[in-house]
């Protein structure tokens, strides 16, 4: 499971991300906070001559800064690194700013406005840590954990690759961009709270670079939006007229959408824009004719994401009320192009929009405008974060059960759009839907961009869910002479979870998987799960025992289990959870060959004896010291016996896809940076399989688990050859077991030695498509048929 973060204090969960460092965590601030950090002043290509830190307050009263300091630490501190400190005095007003000027470089042409405090710290542009500290004595902590324990820290932001940060770092900045809070809230997660974007230093007097508050320029919304993804008026203060079409009156990113009722004739220019009011609820309503004045800014919700053009620091005048709201533009099957975006091999922000050729260009050309969809099919469950993905192209890569299958980097599902609701949940709860249900009737609202899911219809008119009767699948029971091997990612299962989760997972094993002989498990956590981050607990015996007991209670066999405890905080996943892979097996059907010596650091070796392969230790971890497995789960190999024959099973959970740029992002094609580690992991695993087959060309090998990559990826390509990728044997409409951003896709795999002749393979759909789920992954099972594969296997 992966934890990422969203705008408006929403937190999302997706598969496989490894948290690799304990976070620094001060209590969420209720007073002064760091609002913006910039370390590129005076560097090559910079406009501003100085680095700066801007402060604000989340409180409703002036926040005193007397006796406080702003301090800086390099992003990757060495043992000799030291914090640098700049003393503060005065206060910061609610809704105001406090500007701290830092070192001046030799480049740049524009000076900061008069600073409220002046230091001489030279901060790095791309990565570093800035802390707001009670007192002026330099901090001494050099790790996230140590800084979390220092009560003097009022607020802290690590950006780029900073080691010291709150939870996850803010994006990298540059010589021309800063990191700034999207809204004045403090969730103690730098990634959630900060985004990279334009430089916006403002002092306590409200002055900007160049001096004074600028006189606004009269413009129309289409002038602000322009014909590319970036506004040609970014950084300028404008005054625009329009009709209010919708408001967002909750969360930390409040505001309203404004649309010009007198559009131009250029299909590339949007007539809508979001007016950002922070945590203040706007006192406007749909139908109000408004003249809004504000600074044009590009909001970047995450690194690699596209931006949202908006007005910030806005004021407005309501000219009249009760006006007709512009008609939403209907988005139908033929509206969106089949191509996703131009593919220049880099940033597409400066390219002229081609909304008739590319789907992402279409959405950008209507950013902020009202759009509508009618009677659309859901291609995801309603998520825990009140989102629903639908498709406007029902015939584009449909799954067998109503989803949209992701079948290649060059085969995107361009008809998918995410739905969120602007209607207060007290008035109408978000609809609960399964994949394949219909969102019936008209759903309409303005278009917004979110780094999670891309372009989003923010509905202020929401259709009704029509249940299309999706049922959880049940696979058949293996026959007496068949060996059934399954894999199941049980999503951070720990002994402290509620019994309802254990029971639901157990029913899946017994009823839906028909009690397979062997099950590889992924995301088994230690006995206290994430409750103990640095308590040294790594054992998972209570977790596994509870799972076995739940399976028995559900009518299944009493499985035995095998696993190896990892070293504390080395295998990624939820902080403190110490996730690992393991085996369940039914001792009445299959036996496990126990060979002592397996531990967290000892590698399993392939031994050749009497012309056959065997394992030196069982269970044993595959090359656990290899840096390919850094902060990631190590594969676990086990030797089993079935009807007197040996079967080698390797359980896996490869590194997450966290950190990859989104498919709908600003770089096309997106950079899949996480793939590098998975490729190295696949090479190590392939080497182990090759050793088994070199020792015994007829060795019976099953490689299973959450490989966190697609069947068409280079990662899986590394394993082809000696291994058959079983998902390839299914029809395209059935190649999925996980749903993300509305795409039904493959992350879990089962691979076997030799061709799958006489093999019966099934992805059992019981979780990923359903609003209620025991895990976010569907399990898989393969049955080896006697007289079929046995005749190949048991040579």
């Amino acid at each position: 499971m992966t934890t990422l973060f969203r705008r408006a204090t929403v937190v999302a969960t997706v598969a496989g991300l490894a948290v690799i460092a304990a976070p620094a965590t001060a209590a969420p601030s209720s007073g002064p906070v760091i609002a913006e950090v910039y370390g590129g002043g005076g560097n090559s290509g910079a406009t501003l001559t100085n680095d700066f830190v801007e402060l604000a307050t989340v409180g409703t009263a002036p926040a005193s800064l007397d006796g406080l300091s702003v301090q800086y630490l390099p992003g990757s501190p060495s043992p000799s690194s030291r914090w640098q400190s700049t003393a503060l005095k005065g206060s910061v007003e609610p809704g105001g700013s406090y500007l701290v000027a830092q070192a001046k470089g030799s480049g740049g042409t524009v000076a900061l406005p008069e600073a409220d405090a002046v230091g001489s710290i030279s901060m790095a542009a791309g990565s570093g840590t800035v802390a707001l500290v009670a007192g002026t004595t330099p901090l001494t902590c050099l790790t996230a954990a140590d800084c979390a324990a220092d009560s003097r820290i009022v607020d802290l932001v690590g950006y780029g690759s900073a080691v010291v940060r709150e939870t996850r770092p803010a994006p990298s900045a540059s010589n021309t961009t800063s990191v700034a809070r999207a809204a004045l809230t403090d969730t103690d997660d730098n990634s959630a709270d900060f985004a990279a974007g334009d430089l916006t230093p403002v002092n306590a007097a409200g002055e900007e670079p160049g001096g004074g508050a600028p006189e606004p320029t009269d413009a129309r919304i289409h002038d602000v939006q322009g014909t590319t993804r970036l506004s040609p008026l970014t950084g300028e203060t404008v005054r625009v007229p329009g009709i209010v079409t919708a408001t967002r009156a909750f969360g930390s990113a409040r505001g309203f959408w404004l649309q010009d009722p007198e559009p131009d004739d250029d299909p590339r220019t949007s007539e809508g824009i979001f007016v950002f009011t922070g945590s203040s609820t706007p006192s406007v309503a749909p139908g109000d004719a408004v003249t809004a004045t504000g600074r044009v800014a590009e909001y970047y919700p995450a690194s690699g994401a596209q931006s949202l053009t908006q007005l910030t620091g806005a004021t407005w005048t309501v000219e009249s009320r009760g006006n007709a709201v512009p008609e939403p533009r209907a988005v139908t099957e033929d509206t969106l192009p089949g191509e996703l975006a131009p593919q220049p091999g880099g940033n597409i922000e400066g390219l002229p929009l081609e909304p008739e050729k590319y789907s992402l260009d279409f959405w950008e050309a209507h950013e902020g405008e009202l759009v509508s969809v009618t009677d659309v099919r859901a291609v995801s469950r309603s998520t825990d974060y009140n989102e629903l993905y639908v498709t406007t192209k029902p015939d584009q890569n449909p799954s067998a059960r109503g989803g949209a299958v992701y079948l290649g980097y060059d085969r995107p599902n361009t008809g998918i759009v995410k739905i969120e609701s602007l209607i207060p949940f007290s008035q109408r709860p978000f609809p609960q839907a399964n994949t394949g249900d219909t969102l019936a009737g008209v759903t309409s609202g303005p278009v917004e961009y979110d780094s999670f899911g891309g372009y989003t219809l923010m509905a202020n008119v929401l259709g009704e869910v029509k249940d299309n009767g999706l049922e959880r699948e049940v696979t058949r029971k293996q026959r007496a002479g068949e060996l059934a091997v399954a894999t199941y990612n049980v999503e951070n299962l720990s002994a402290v979870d509620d019994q309802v989760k254990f029971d639901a997972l157990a029913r899946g094993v017994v009823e839906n998987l028909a009690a397979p002989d062997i099950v590889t498990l992924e995301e088994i956590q230690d006995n206290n799960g994430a409750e103990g981050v640095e308590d040294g607990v790594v054992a998972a015996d209570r977790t596994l025992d509870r799972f076995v007991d739940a399976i028995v209670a559900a009518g299944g066999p009493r499985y035995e289990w095998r696993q190896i405890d990892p070293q504390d905080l080395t295998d990624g996943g939820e902080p403190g959870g110490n996730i690992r892979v393991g085996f369940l097996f039914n001792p009445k059907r299959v036996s496990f060959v126990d060979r002592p010596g397996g531990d967290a650091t000892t590698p399993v070796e392939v031994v050749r004896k009497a012309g056959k392969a065997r394992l030196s230790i069982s269970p044993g971890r595959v090359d656990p010291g290899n840096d390919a497995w850094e902060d990631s789960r190590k594969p676990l190999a086990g030797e089993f016996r079935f009807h007197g024959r040996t079967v080698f099973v390797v359980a896996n959970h490869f590194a997450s896809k966290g950190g990859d740029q989104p498919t709908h992002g600003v770089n096309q094609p997106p950079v899949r940076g996480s793939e590098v580690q998975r490729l190295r992991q696949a090479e190590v695993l392939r080497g182990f399989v090759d050793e088994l087959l070199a020792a015994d060309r007829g060795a019976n090998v099953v490689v299973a688990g959450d490989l966190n990559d697609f069947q068409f990826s280079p990662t899986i390509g590394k394993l082809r050859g000696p291994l058959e990728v079983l998902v390839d044997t299914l029809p395209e409409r059935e190649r999925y077991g996980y749903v993300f951003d509305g795409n039904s896709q493959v992350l879990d795999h089962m691979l076997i030695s030799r061709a799958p002749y006489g093999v019966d393979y099934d992805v059992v759909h019981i979780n990923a498509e359903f609003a209620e789920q025991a895990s976010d992954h569907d399990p898989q099972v393969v049955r080896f048929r006697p007289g079929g594969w046995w005749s190949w296997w048991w040579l």
Side-chain angles (χ1 to χ4, degrees), residues 401 434-438 466-472 770:
R401 290 163 56 87
N434 297 328
T435 299
D437 289 349
T438 300
K466 176 187 175 185
D467 185 352
N468 285 331
L470 190 70
E471 295 184 355
R472 301 181 198 271
F770 293 89

Side-chain angles (χ1 to χ4, degrees), residues 214-491:
E215 182 65 25
T217 300
D218 287 316
R220 309 295 291 204
I221 291 174
H222 48 251
D223 299 326
V224 175
Q225 288 284 9
T227 59
T228 71
R229 287 172 163 77
L230 300 178
S231 171
L233 302 178
T234 298
E236 297 186 25
T237 299
V238 299
R239 181 167 47 227
V240 295
I243 303 294
V244 176
T245 60
T247 64
R248 178 159 51 207
F250 54 86
S252 59
R254 304 185 187 192
F256 60 91
W257 283 270
L258 202 61
Q259 187 165 331
D260 195 329
E262 300 177 12
D264 65 5
D265 57 1
D266 191 335
R268 300 171 298 176
T269 58
S270 172
E271 303 295 339
I273 196 167
F274 183 65
V275 181
F276 176 68
T277 62
S279 58
S280 300
T281 301
S283 55
V284 294
D288 288 353
V290 165
T291 300
T293 301
R295 185 176 182 275
V296 180
E298 297 289 345
Y299 167 71
Y300 289 87
S303 177
Q306 296 194 51
S307 63
L308 179 69
T309 305
Q310 58 186 14
L311 297 185
T312 62
T315 59
W316 57 88
T317 302
V318 177
E319 310 292 350
S320 62
R321 301 187 186 275
N323 300 281
V325 173
E327 283 293 317
R329 179 185 178 92
V331 178
T332 66
E333 183 174 2
D334 299 324
T335 303
L336 289 167
E339 290 188 69
L340 183 71
Q343 303 287 305
N347 192 302
I348 62 173
E349 287 180 307
L351 300 180
L353 296 175
E354 299 181 76
E356 295 181 357
K357 185 175 181 180
Y358 302 114
S359 64
L360 292 187
D361 286 22
F362 170 87
W363 289 117
E364 178 64 25
H366 296 283
E367 177 188 79
E369 291 183 7
L370 289 179
V371 300
S372 68
V373 294
T374 303
D375 296 333
V376 284
R377 189 178 79 239
V379 290
S380 78
R381 60 187 282 260
S382 295
T383 74
D384 298 338
Y385 312 101
N386 299 306
E387 308 157 317
L388 182 64
Y389 293 84
V390 301
T391 182
T392 61
K393 291 181 175 294
D395 297 325
Q396 186 179 56
N397 302 320
S399 79
R401 290 163 56 87
V405 186
Y406 188 39
L407 295 171
Y409 297 128
D410 59 346
R411 298 177 66 178
N413 290 303
T414 61
I416 294 176
V417 61
K418 185 174 72 171
I419 307 291
E420 293 188 22
S421 178
L422 295 171
I423 304 169
F425 295 159
S426 59
Q427 297 179 20
R428 182 179 175 191
F430 194 79
Q432 294 299 292
N434 297 328
T435 299
D437 289 349
T438 300
L439 187 61
V442 175
T443 296
S444 66
V447 175
E448 183 170 82
Y449 179 82
D450 183 0
S451 61
F452 292 85
Y455 289 100
T456 303
L457 192 164
M458 303 297 297
N460 56 2
V461 175
L462 190 57
E464 299 287 344
V465 169
K466 176 187 175 185
D467 185 352
N468 285 331
L470 190 70
E471 295 184 355
R472 301 181 198 271
E473 290 188 335
V474 176
T475 197
R476 71 168 176 84
K477 182 75 175 174
Q478 70 270 30
R479 300 183 181 97
E482 289 181 319
L483 174 69
V485 182
T487 185
Y488 200 174
N489 182 318
V490 292
E491 194 181 5

Side-chain angles (χ1 to χ4, degrees), residues 5 19 21-25 144 163 165-169 187-191 575:
F5 297 86
V19 178
T25 307
V163 170
R165 73 284 183 109
E166 291 181 347
T167 310
R168 294 188 178 278
T187 68
D188 271 353
D189 184 272
N190 295 155
S191 174

Side-chain angles (χ1 to χ4, degrees), residues 573-597:
E574 199 171 16
N578 288 313
I579 59 174
R580 80 290 307 271
V581 298
F583 301 115
L584 296 180
F585 65 94
N586 182 354
K588 293 185 177 181
R589 296 256 314 161
V590 67
S591 60
F592 190 86
V593 180
D594 287 294
R595 292 199 180 93

